[in-house]
Amino acid sequence: MDWARPFVSGPMDPLDNPYCFYCQICKRNVSIYGKGALEVKRHYASRDHLRKDQKWMAYASGVSPVIFLRKGTAPGDTYSMHRTLQGAHTQGIFTLAFSNDGNYLASAGYDRRVVVWRLSDGKEVYRFTGPGSTVYKLVFSPDSSLLLSADSYGRKVHIWRMKDGKLQLRALMPNTVWSVAVSPDNQFFATAHDNTNIMLWNLSTGKSERTMPNHTRRVRSVAFSPDGKRLISGSDDNRLMVWDLSTGKPIRSYPCGGDVFAVE
């Protein structure tokens, strides 16, 4: 299960100091010191994101509108400061995502804006203002053609086209949505919900395909396996679960000893 990285954390208040995550697989702590500054090598946590080639690292704080972009040369490096990205957000940033082609970084948070930045020059490319509440999760489609945002308390997932910055569709959720993930074949997206359910949706139409109940408390995060046959979920019920997408049934459950806020 090397594709899954579950984290257990303390309180969600971004002012907490320290703000510590414990990796259940690596058995190591990942700490955010001060007001959201993250000490990272190969680990990452909420409000932090590593590009897949691990040459770029971006992090931000829930109490600041500034994004810090660092650059390294190899996995495990201490990343040197490259530039700051600022001027687009007015409040703290909660989520970051790199496009899979490595060209863009997306950011969102408490000001209800989704901003796309070009990595080559640090310029703002798009600014989306559709979400009606805090955006807790951003994710690009595997082919980097779409950007999805989870408008948590607004109960919507917005899907934006990267080629022209237009809204492709707005999928209405039955309740609060905490996380969203896109399948490797670009056919489906999954959402994690406040009512203990996980839902599978058609990416082209925004229509619900399946509801998967089994957690007993809020589901915080979801992620697809690389082959698209499995889904992993993390919940406030202290469990990490693996699902068979052909049946919609859970096939494994792992106790984590605390709330699981993020899986990748």
Side-chain angles (χ1 to χ4, degrees):
M1 256 193 17
D2 58 352
W3 53 275
R5 294 177 182 157
F7 292 94
V8 178
S9 90
M12 285 293 288
D13 187 349
L15 292 175
D16 277 1
N17 184 12
Y19 190 101
C20 186
F21 286 69
Y22 182 72
C23 178
Q24 287 291 319
I25 290 179
C26 297
K27 307 300 181 186
R28 292 178 58 191
N29 287 314
V30 187
S31 297
I32 302 178
Y33 299 97
K35 294 182 179 180
L38 183 60
E39 182 182 79
V40 168
K41 289 194 176 178
R42 283 177 294 177
H43 290 79
Y44 57 98
S46 183
R47 291 186 287 282
D48 171 85
H49 202 85
L50 285 175
R51 203 170 76 174
K52 287 190 174 181
D53 60 12
Q54 296 196 12
K55 292 180 181 178
W56 291 95
M57 182 185 75
Y59 63 93
S61 165
V63 295
S64 170
V66 180
I67 301 167
F68 299 90
L69 191 62
R70 290 180 174 265
K71 194 172 184 179
T73 57
D77 275 356
T78 298
Y79 290 74
S80 59
M81 180 59 70
H82 182 67
R83 63 163 53 100
T84 58
L85 307 177
Q86 53 190 313
H89 289 287
T90 59
Q91 297 182 53
I93 295 162
F94 201 89
T95 179
L96 299 167
F98 282 106
S99 62
N100 291 293
D101 61 13
N103 293 326
Y104 301 101
L105 176 72
S107 58
Y110 296 106
D111 60 6
R112 306 180 183 183
R113 297 176 181 175
V114 176
V115 179
V116 178
W117 310 82
R118 188 166 49 234
L119 286 175
S120 60
D121 57 10
K123 301 296 185 183
E124 179 183 338
V125 179
Y126 298 125
R127 185 183 302 188
F128 307 131
T129 57
S133 69
T134 300
V135 175
Y136 280 102
K137 181 68 174 179
L138 291 171
V139 65
F140 283 92
S141 60
D143 63 1
S144 300
S145 66
L146 300 172
L147 174 64
L148 286 73
S149 64
D151 178 3
S152 299
Y153 294 106
R155 301 183 178 184
K156 301 178 186 71
V157 169
H158 292 82
I159 303 176
W160 316 89
R161 292 196 302 262
M162 286 299 295
K163 66 179 181 180
D164 56 12
K166 302 296 185 182
L167 180 66
Q168 177 156 307
L169 65 87
R170 182 185 294 109
L172 301 180
M173 302 287 109
N175 50 70
T176 302
V177 53
W178 290 100
S179 184
V180 61
V182 183
S183 63
D185 61 4
N186 289 290
Q187 298 298 309
F188 303 98
F189 68 94
T191 51
H193 292 276
D194 218 32
N195 69 346
T196 75
N197 288 339
I198 299 161
M199 298 187 69
L200 193 66
W201 307 78
N202 186 295
L203 185 59
S204 298
T205 65
K207 301 297 183 182
S208 173
E209 298 277 341
R210 174 173 282 159
T211 298
M212 296 181 287
N214 206 275
H215 282 291
T216 57
R217 295 185 64 190
R218 172 187 300 165
V219 186
R220 291 281 191 176
S221 189
V222 287
F224 286 90
S225 64
D227 62 8
K229 295 180 180 180
R230 303 284 188 267
L231 189 75
I232 187 168
S233 60
S235 168
D236 285 0
D237 63 9
N238 304 344
R239 289 187 298 164
L240 183 149
M241 299 190 71
V242 180
W243 305 76
D244 183 340
L245 288 177
S246 65
T247 64
K249 303 295 183 183
I251 56 176
R252 286 192 194 120
S253 178
Y254 297 92
C256 290
D259 300 348
V260 183
F261 283 101
V263 292
E264 288 279 347

